[in-house]
Amino acid sequence: MKEDMKYYGLRNQGATCYLNSILQALFMTREFREAVKSCSKHHKDDINVRLNTLFESLKEKTSETTEVTKTLRIEKVYEQQDAGQYLEKILSDVSDEASKVFKGELIHRTVCDQCGSHTDDEVPFFFLSLPLMDSKNGNYSVEDGIQEFLKDVEFCGEDQMYCDKCKYKRDTTVKYELKRHPEVLILLLKRFEYNYQRMSYSKDSRAVDVCYTINLPENQTYELYALVEHVGSLTGGHYTATIKPEDEDRWYEFNDSSVTLVGNQTFQKKFERSRSAHLLFYRKRNAEVEDEGTDGEEDQKKLKNDDESENESKNDNTGKMTSDCDKNHNHLYFPLSAFVLFVFAILWIVIVVMKVLPNEFILFGLIFLLGLAFLLWWKCMKKDKRLVLSQCSRHV
């Protein structure tokens, strides 16, 4: 190692490069390192203590991972494993304080297309698994994977889902929404997939545009600071980590016990095209204090405007209720008028039967009264129907 190099590597026990790579990424995540150190004071023999001991050693020299592999119960050190699998195991075993650095939360929403009812399930995660697929423009990017992960999924036909409200299977839409953004977002590019035709795992080595910065819903920006790469075949490959320290603008390659400065510092660009990137570590970019203050003022104005709008809405509703009462009086008048006219029509029929007046006068008066009565009745029923519909619309 060169004299100006202030970072140290981890010795490979045989085929533990997958573990070395994720341990280096975790070590270079300051929030996680400090949380592990804090929690190790209250434990004697667990993963927090082992990691803290390793991290303290890494500050001074090239170190061994023997105690960590024992704690993780890794017996076959000459057999390569999946880095993503053991990263998830470590984050599941450490303290809550340490794991929450990477912990986010999704809302899994199931919506019935028929009645609109929905159910929400909270789904915690340590990383998002992004499928690799062909892109429309030919260059698949990390942002394409995020959009594919969060897009709505339709279940129709034979794939319909049961709706508790409808009591039948219905066309259903499933949505994912980010409820809590983690401090550090980890993306796993699904390069290793099970091939059901070959009945074995295979590696997808297609090129992926690894974005230096990404934007998630609610305008949250993340910045890349570490990636774990896998080169070679599925059975004979090798893992390395490329990391940019928090207080530097330079990238370093961590290849087991070797640590070197990356010659081509291309990650400062918009993206880097890679066929080997597997795990990506993004740190949340915090907004400036001024932006936060502006947002706070805007939120307060919004709340104030919402309150005023609510009060105006209440006043408007009261006015509408008064107006509706006036309409009710009018509606009472119309049925009464129709009823009186209808009574007169009946009396006119009696007069006709008794032949008190000339036949021509009686017939003309009868037709006039019946027509007027029917017109008033029809007009009244039409307005009553509109009133009922307007009242129903306010209660929905």
Side-chain angles (χ1 to χ4, degrees), residues 201-336:
Y201 281 93
S202 59
K203 181 182 177 182
D204 190 337
S205 298
R206 76 180 66 200
V208 176
D209 290 345
V210 179
C211 305
Y212 183 69
T213 59
I214 57 175
N215 291 308
L216 294 186
E218 299 182 7
N219 199 29
Q220 179 59 62
T221 303
Y222 284 86
E223 185 176 296
L224 182 72
Y225 74 95
L227 69 159
V228 173
E229 299 179 272
H230 181 271
V231 295
S233 64
L234 181 64
T235 56
H238 181 63
Y239 282 95
T240 61
T242 305
I243 306 173
K244 181 175 76 72
E246 189 174 8
D247 57 347
E248 292 190 37
D249 291 329
R250 299 187 299 177
W251 291 83
Y252 295 84
E253 183 184 53
F254 294 78
N255 185 359
D256 288 333
S257 57
S258 173
V259 181
T260 57
L261 184 66
V262 175
N264 185 14
Q265 300 285 328
T266 56
F267 285 101
Q268 299 297 339
K269 299 179 181 179
K270 185 176 181 180
F271 66 89
E272 170 74 8
R273 187 161 299 165
S274 172
R275 294 183 178 273
S276 56
H278 181 42
L279 285 165
L280 310 175
F281 292 72
Y282 286 86
R283 181 178 284 109
K284 182 188 290 186
R285 180 185 290 175
N286 294 323
E288 297 294 334
V289 177
E290 294 180 359
D291 294 338
E292 292 178 353
T294 303
D295 293 340
E297 292 176 359
E298 292 178 353
D299 291 340
Q300 290 178 355
K301 291 180 180 178
K302 184 178 180 181
L303 289 173
K304 183 178 180 181
N305 292 335
D306 290 342
D307 291 338
E308 292 175 354
S309 299
E310 184 177 358
N311 292 332
E312 292 175 0
S313 177
K314 291 180 179 179
N315 294 333
D316 291 340
N317 289 336
T318 304
K320 289 181 180 179
M321 289 177 64
T322 304
S323 178
D324 289 339
C325 291
D326 295 338
K327 291 178 181 178
N328 288 338
H329 288 296
N330 294 332
H331 289 316
L332 288 174
Y333 170 77
F334 282 115
L336 182 60

Side-chain angles (χ1 to χ4, degrees), residues 39-51 53 67-68 70-71:
C39 295
S40 65
K41 299 176 182 178
H42 308 290
H43 301 80
K44 293 183 178 180
D45 189 15
D46 67 356
I47 186 65
N48 295 281
V49 176
R50 301 304 182 197
L51 288 177
T53 302
E67 295 301 320
V68 175
K70 289 181 179 178
T71 304

Side-chain angles (χ1 to χ4, degrees), residues 111-127:
V111 183
C112 174
D113 294 347
Q114 181 69 26
C115 67
S117 63
H118 70 273
T119 57
D120 290 347
D121 296 318
E122 296 182 355
V123 183
F125 68 89
F126 289 127
F127 52 76

Side-chain angles (χ1 to χ4, degrees), residues 127-135 139-151 153 176 186-193 204-209 277-278 280:
F127 52 76
L128 300 180
S129 298
L130 306 184
L132 302 184
M133 59 188 64
D134 295 329
S135 180
N139 297 324
Y140 178 85
S141 70
V142 171
E143 291 183 339
D144 292 332
I146 295 175
Q147 292 179 4
E148 181 68 21
F149 184 91
L150 295 175
K151 80 173 185 179
V153 181
Y176 274 115
I186 304 177
L187 303 178
L188 184 147
L189 303 182
K190 298 175 70 173
R191 293 199 177 276
F192 309 115
E193 292 283 2
D204 190 337
S205 298
R206 76 180 66 200
V208 176
D209 290 345
H278 181 42
L280 310 175

Side-chain angles (χ1 to χ4, degrees), residues 1-6 259-261:
M1 187 181 299
K2 297 180 180 180
E3 294 183 359
D4 60 346
M5 194 66 61
K6 57 181 179 180
V259 181
T260 57
L261 184 66

Side-chain angles (χ1 to χ4, degrees), residues 10-20 63-66 69 74-81 235-239 255-257:
L10 295 169
R11 292 192 176 89
N12 194 326
Q13 298 183 48
T16 57
C17 54
Y18 65 94
L19 182 63
N20 291 347
S63 304
E64 306 281 350
T65 59
T66 307
T69 54
I74 299 175
E75 298 178 354
K76 300 179 180 180
V77 295
Y78 289 96
E79 183 177 313
Q80 190 176 99
Q81 303 293 336
T235 56
H238 181 63
Y239 282 95
N255 185 359
D256 288 333
S257 57

